[in-house]
């Protein structure tokens, strides 16, 4: 799958990373899985000495993400972008960085009770994160497609996304 970009958008623990890996596994051509998390991990929130310093670090992470998106978008590699972002401006900046690719934005969702169960089983996420993000207006945007991951495995979800994209491109 080349010259398109798939954006997975939704709250924590909805299964975006799992879907991204399943999309990579089932792709004929190599795909880059790009996530803001990979950039955010370059600095540590607890080291920041003021809100201003924290904002500055976050801005650097966003700019790094955008330049990476532009670089990969200019290549022949497939792209699956995994985003929790609730800030509309930052979200739109990411979509713009993917131009001129045809971009499919998939709303990844799940009932809160399932999210909280998944969160409890994760060592890498603090309890309450999914609840704090769940129902945010940013996740009510108009999507190319919505996927409820409580209804499918990551592999089935990846297959549904592929079928949707194939149907759109015919
Ligand atoms: N379709 C699914 N069915 C059952 N469990 C799932 C499914 N998708 C993901 N999970 C489980 O839910 C947890 C969170 O999944 P994942 O890391 O993919 O979510 P995420 O949306 O990328 O989270 P975050 O935004 O916090 O990085 C993992 O333990 C994963 O195994």
């Amino acid at each position: 799958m080349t010259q398109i970009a798939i954006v997975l958008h939704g709250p924590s623990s909805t299964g975006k990373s799992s879907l991204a890996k399943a999309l990579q596994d089932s792709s004929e051509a190599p795909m880059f899985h790009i996530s803001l998390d990979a950039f955010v991990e370059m600095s540590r929130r607890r080291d920041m000495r003021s809100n201003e310093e924290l904002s500055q670090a976050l801005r650097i992470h966003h700019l790094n993400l955008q330049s990476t998106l532009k670089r990969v978008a200019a290549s022949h590699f497939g792209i699956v972008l995994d985003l929790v972002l609730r800030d509309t401006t930052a979200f739109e900046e990411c979509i713009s960085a993917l131009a001129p690719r045809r971009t499919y934005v998939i709303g990844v969702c799940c009932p809160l009770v399932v999210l909280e169960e998944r969160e409890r089983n994760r060592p890498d996420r603090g309890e309450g994160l999914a609840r704090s993000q769940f129902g945010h207006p940013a996740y009510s945007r108009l999507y190319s497609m919505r996927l409820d991951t409580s209804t499918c495995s990551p592999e089935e979800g990846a297959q549904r996304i592929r079928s949707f994209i194939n149907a759109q491109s015919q």
Side-chain angles (χ1 to χ4, degrees), residues 10-19 37 82 84 118 122 125 129 149 152-154:
S12 179
S13 292
T14 45
K16 301 175 299 297
S17 305
S18 307
L19 274 173
D37 283 357
D82 162 358
V84 175
R118 286 182 187 170
R122 292 182 71 177
R125 289 292 181 276
L129 184 63
T149 60
C152 57
S153 67

Side-chain angles (χ1 to χ4, degrees), residues 2-167:
T2 54
Q3 307 307 349
I4 67 159
I6 301 173
V7 180
L8 305 175
H9 186 226
S12 179
S13 292
T14 45
K16 301 175 299 297
S17 305
S18 307
L19 274 173
K21 288 188 180 76
L23 283 163
Q24 283 180 306
D25 287 343
S26 57
S27 175
E28 282 172 23
M31 289 186 97
F32 274 48
H33 170 197
I34 304 173
S35 169
L36 181 58
D37 283 357
F39 297 94
V40 170
E41 282 165 11
M42 289 178 187
S43 67
R44 299 188 304 181
R45 185 178 276 253
R46 68 172 183 269
D47 295 341
M48 298 300 154
R49 293 161 300 180
S50 64
N51 284 339
E52 193 189 11
E53 212 168 51
L54 178 63
S55 304
Q56 209 178 352
L58 288 176
R59 191 65 198 147
I60 290 170
H61 299 321
H62 281 290
L63 292 172
N64 284 343
L65 171 64
Q66 283 167 43
S67 52
T68 296
L69 289 174
K70 283 185 191 149
R71 198 168 304 114
V72 184
S75 79
H76 70 285
F77 292 114
I79 295 178
V80 56
L81 170 62
D82 162 358
L83 280 182
V84 175
L85 269 185
R86 286 164 288 173
D87 183 295
T88 313
T89 306
F91 185 89
E92 294 306 335
E93 282 171 353
C94 290
I95 301 297
S96 300
L98 291 166
R101 296 223 177 182
R102 196 184 317 153
T103 300
Y104 295 90
V105 185
I106 314 295
V108 185
C109 58
C110 197
L112 182 59
V113 65
V114 179
L115 287 186
E116 291 187 320
E117 176 65 28
R118 286 182 187 170
E119 195 171 66
R120 275 192 288 277
N121 293 323
R122 292 182 71 177
D124 59 336
R125 289 292 181 276
E127 210 170 317
L129 184 63
R131 178 175 280 272
S132 72
Q133 297 172 351
F134 187 84
H136 190 281
Y139 305 121
S140 302
R141 58 176 292 126
L142 192 63
Y143 289 114
S144 310
M145 172 190 171
R146 273 185 184 274
L147 184 76
D148 179 343
T149 60
S150 69
T151 66
C152 57
S153 67
E155 293 71 28
E156 287 162 345
Q159 188 50 50
R160 286 192 206 170
I161 293 171
R162 271 186 200 290
S163 301
F164 171 80
I165 291 174
N166 289 341

